[in-house]
Amino acid sequence: MTPQSILIIDQEQAVCDSLALVLGEEGFRCFISYNAIDAQEVLTSSDIDMVIVDSQLLDRNGLFSYLQCYYPAIKIILMSSYVEIEVTQKALIAGAHDFVMKPLDFNELIGKVNYYFPSVHR
């Protein structure tokens, strides 16, 4: 069975690379994007099951609206710092599925991802 695919969207390469490594070890297929425009290209060319996105990038170029309109089945987990909590709250109310605080706790993030994709499906 094909593993679930996750698109990681963050401006920082180190964050993307670390998440891709950790989630790849968990059996997920990971794609990386550093901005909303590139993320839209990945979404149109790949079968994505989940997006993990920095909350600062969520509304750039209408990414959140784009996801809700064209990919309503994709699960969205936000990465947020304390100062971005208002943006995170609004996104959760509007339909995002979950969030994790930065700095990231990889075990917490893996737990949240596995909640939506239990290991029996991988």
Side-chain angles (χ1 to χ4, degrees):
M1 181 171 228
T2 305
Q4 277 83 20
S5 297
I6 299 174
L7 173 57
I8 302 161
I9 310 168
D10 195 291
Q11 299 174 96
E12 297 181 40
Q13 181 177 353
V15 170
C16 290
D17 291 346
S18 297
L19 286 176
L21 178 66
V22 168
L23 293 169
E25 289 175 354
E26 292 293 312
F28 295 99
R29 185 171 166 220
C30 296
F31 296 86
I32 292 174
S33 178
Y34 303 112
N35 60 60
I37 294 170
D38 290 343
Q40 290 178 3
E41 290 178 23
V42 172
L43 288 161
T44 59
S45 64
S46 305
D47 187 22
I48 301 296
D49 301 299
M50 175 179 279
V51 171
I52 299 175
V53 58
D54 185 293
S55 62
Q56 290 181 336
L57 298 176
L58 192 61
D59 253 352
R60 294 213 183 134
N61 299 94
L63 180 61
F64 189 60
S65 298
Y66 178 81
L67 286 168
Q68 287 184 308
C69 182
Y70 296 104
Y71 303 96
I74 289 179
K75 306 295 184 217
I76 302 170
I77 295 180
L78 304 172
M79 298 180 287
S80 178
S81 69
Y82 180 73
V83 296
E84 300 160 350
I85 200 69
E86 186 177 322
V87 172
T88 302
Q89 288 173 332
K90 287 179 183 176
L92 288 168
I93 290 168
H97 295 86
D98 214 329
F99 76 99
V100 291
M101 296 297 289
K102 285 185 172 182
L104 296 173
D105 175 338
F106 291 129
N107 289 327
E108 177 188 12
L109 179 62
I110 289 167
K112 290 181 184 241
V113 171
N114 283 331
Y115 173 80
Y116 294 102
F117 306 121
S119 59
V120 293
H121 296 284
R122 276 190 264 151

